[in-house]
Amino acid sequence: MAEPLKVGLAGLGTVGTAVVDLLERGRDKLIARCGRPIEIVAVSARSRGKKRGIDLRKFRWAADPVALAREPSIDVLVELMGGAGDPAKSAVETALASGKAVVTANKALLARHGQKLAALAERRRVALNFEASVGGGIPIIKTLREALNGNAFSRIYGILNGTCNYILSRMEEDRLAFDVCLRDAQQLGYAEADPSFDIEGHDTAQKLSILASLAFGAKVDPNAIYVEGISSITLADLDAASELGYRVKLLGVAVRTEAGIEQRVHPTMVPKESAIAQVMGVTNAVTVDAEGISPITLVGPGAGGMATASAVVSDLADIARGVRTPPFGRPAARMTTIRKAPMQHHEGGYYIRLLARDRPGTAATIARRLAQQDISLESIVQRHGIAAPPTSRPGRSGEPVPVIMITYATSEDAVRRALAAVRRDRVISGRPQVIRIEKN
Ligand SMILES: NC(=O)c1ccc[n+]([C@@H]2O[C@H](COP(=O)([O-])OP(=O)(O)OC[C@H]3O[C@@H](n4cnc5c(N)ncnc54)[C@H](OP(=O)(O)O)[C@@H]3O)[C@@H](O)[C@H]2O)c1
């Protein structure tokens, strides 16, 4: 049999321990598929004494993951420590510079340093594989990098954060408030003690930056992404969306437009019958619009030890077979600085919910402000069960009346200008809620 592929594993947490387990259980299958065994020779983590539920006695312990990365006894470094800084960054750089392949699940590292690391891997002619960094067990990186490498992409969008999808699903299905669902997500271990990175959309943005680079050949740049989280979404929005034939999801969207590549993360209304709208709970999904084929949606577990380990092991199997592709699907030197399409130029339909003051002329004022920006309405719903045209009087009880409008395609600029004018006119209370609509 051919020489084993020798692995140094840095990080023995949720994913690392699952990788140890999966490599052991899948040993014979991997030999059959790759023609050689994949063997862990050394492991590293912060604390040697920690109980991890796996037998580590047969592996050498490396106190320093960076030293492990340059050890001549390993062919591949598997980096599962996480974080954009050290020791993950130094360990990955050291391994690549020493001519060793790297497998990582670290989206933060790739979003921040992906470009440089890809160039280094290419210079040293070694693999840098990161299937587990986006969508956990969903093989979306390989799909973009290899399976669809003959197609031009027009749009890629997805549910890339299980915590947010769990919260929005629970709110809708169990008719609960955002805070209650967030607390449940924390108790179930889906959300961190500080959940802001997830619910404010930054986790999704990091993953989107990786997908956008693969799809559009743009340099990885999370700062080119417009980001808005889900904390302002209320049950009233989900109810209205449902009534109008939509469901609300936190989507990461990268789309080619005339103005450049638009990258955005925000709560999004998707048609209820679309594939992405069916995805509930912690599950992730990515839809790819590529030239020549109808949209492809991949759905699966976006996190969890075993699901993520499955992606890590698949990356290792490629290396064991001698498969090496440019990390971002094209030479790093050919990746271009992204022309960021400004969000004001975004065009699409909008959901607008506002509280109209109960005064004569309110509805007419709102209608005039929309018309001044050439915004036409596809539908309008005035709460309390009355569907009213925008020229009718909003309410009779003295209370502000919720008015929900769906616009035809218009620009972000137009919506912002119209709503600013309506607020200046003092015909609404509070801030209007605006949710962008993504058609399938
Ligand atoms: N968990 C998931 O479902 C999931 C899904 C997709 C991607 N990922 C990515 O996979 C990576 C690992 O995630 P995880 O959930 O397995 O994390 P985790 O459970 O927190 O484990 C991290 C591991 O890295 C070790 N470590 C941390 N800092 C270290 C340091 N300074 N020196 C040496 N070792 C250090 C820790 O050592 P100790 O155990 O001794 O503390 C621990 O074993 C991250 O990049 C994450 O974003 C995770």
Side-chain angles (χ1 to χ4, degrees):
M1 197 182 342
E3 280 287 295
L5 180 77
K6 295 192 213 98
V7 175
L9 174 57
L12 290 168
T14 308
V15 184
T17 50
V19 167
V20 173
D21 189 23
L22 202 56
L23 280 177
E24 213 149 271
R25 284 200 277 145
R27 186 183 156 83
D28 293 343
K29 193 165 47 242
L30 285 164
I31 293 174
R33 288 180 181 171
C34 307
R36 60 196 287 210
I38 300 174
E39 274 175 13
I40 297 174
V41 296
V43 296
S44 180
R46 231 176 340 217
S47 145
R48 187 169 189 177
K50 194 167 177 177
K51 288 214 173 358
R52 303 177 191 274
I54 49 167
D55 184 4
L56 293 175
R57 281 172 302 184
K58 57 188 158 195
F59 312 128
R60 200 155 41 71
W61 180 263
D64 175 8
V66 182
L68 170 66
R70 68 167 79 87
E71 272 196 20
S73 63
I74 69 162
D75 305 311
V76 189
L77 176 77
V78 175
E79 185 282 303
L80 297 172
M81 297 179 287
D86 289 336
K89 177 170 176 276
S90 301
V92 168
E93 279 172 347
T94 303
L96 296 173
S98 316
K100 296 172 199 313
V102 168
V103 173
T104 178
N106 190 336
K107 64 198 171 237
L109 180 70
L110 288 158
R112 179 87 61 88
H113 305 291
Q115 195 67 33
K116 261 190 3 225
L117 295 174
L120 178 57
E122 278 173 39
R123 265 201 317 278
R124 300 310 312 247
R125 298 179 184 282
V126 288
L128 167 60
N129 290 347
F130 44 87
E131 184 61 70
S133 64
V134 182
I138 302 175
I140 183 60
I141 306 283
K142 239 181 213 288
T143 301
L144 295 175
R145 186 162 79 174
E146 290 151 59
L148 293 174
N149 63 4
N151 303 68
F153 299 100
S154 52
R155 179 174 62 159
I156 174 152
Y157 62 99
I159 296 168
L160 301 173
N161 184 277
T163 308
C164 290
N165 207 48
Y166 169 83
I167 292 172
L168 292 171
S169 303
R170 276 293 306 280
M171 284 173 74
E172 184 189 330
E173 287 171 342
D174 297 335
R175 308 203 44 71
L176 294 170
F178 176 87
D179 292 346
V180 177
C181 298
L182 170 58
R183 244 190 338 268
D184 282 359
Q186 285 170 316
Q187 268 158 16
L188 289 164
Y190 298 148
E192 305 286 332
D194 174 7
S196 58
F197 189 70
D198 287 329
I199 64 174
E200 296 309 334
H202 301 296
D203 173 78
T204 301
Q206 284 188 342
K207 292 167 179 168
L208 182 68
S209 71
I210 296 170
L211 296 185
S213 291
L214 285 155
F216 300 112
K219 288 183 179 165
V220 199
D221 181 8
N223 297 324
I225 303 178
Y226 171 84
V227 185
E228 209 180 277
I230 60 166
S231 50
S232 72
I233 300 295
T234 64
L235 207 46
D237 295 317
L238 302 189
D239 285 347
S242 175
E243 213 171 294
L244 295 160
Y246 295 92
R247 191 164 263 159
V248 180
K249 297 288 180 192
L250 180 75
L251 290 193
V253 184
V255 58
R256 189 185 288 288
T257 72
E258 278 171 14
I261 306 294
E262 191 176 277
Q263 293 184 76
R264 46 194 165 84
V265 173
H266 49 72
T268 313
M269 299 217 329
V270 290
K272 247 189 201 167
E273 71 284 358
S274 63
I276 210 104
Q278 316 311 315
V279 179
M280 303 300 270
V282 289
T283 304
N284 283 21
V286 185
T287 298
V288 180
D289 285 348
E291 192 181 52
I293 44 168
S294 30
I296 295 172
T297 300
L298 302 179
V299 181
M306 268 300 161
T308 311
S310 133
V312 171
V313 171
S314 140
D315 277 347
L316 280 170
D318 271 351
I319 294 167
R321 285 169 170 158
V323 175
R324 179 168 65 86
T325 10
F328 287 94
R330 70 195 73 204
R334 293 252 180 94
M335 292 172 78
T336 51
T337 302
I338 209 160
R339 189 150 69 95
K340 180 183 172 186
M343 200 56 197
Q344 309 89 279
H345 295 177
H346 168 69
E347 300 231 336
Y350 285 77
Y351 157 99
I352 301 166
R353 176 171 58 82
L354 35 81
L355 283 175
R357 291 215 167 115
D358 181 15
R359 276 194 212 135
T362 292
T365 304
I366 295 169
R368 191 176 66 250
R369 291 305 190 186
L370 295 173
Q372 279 169 351
Q373 299 300 330
D374 281 333
I375 298 172
S376 332
L377 296 183
E378 188 182 297
S379 50
I380 174 161
V381 178
Q382 189 176 302
R383 277 281 164 244
H384 307 317
I386 310 161
T391 45
S392 77
R393 195 164 172 259
R396 294 189 184 91
S397 63
E399 289 293 303
V401 178
V403 176
I404 290 146
M405 297 173 284
I406 299 280
T407 75
Y408 283 111
T410 181
S411 74
E412 178 97 5
D413 235 2
V415 171
R416 287 185 191 178
R417 276 200 298 261
L419 293 179
V422 166
R423 288 184 81 185
R424 276 197 307 272
D425 293 336
R426 299 177 175 279
V427 292
I428 61 168
S429 340
R431 285 174 69 85
Q433 171 69 295
V434 175
I435 305 178
R436 297 164 193 89
I437 298 172
E438 194 75 25
K439 297 278 186 191
N440 44 345

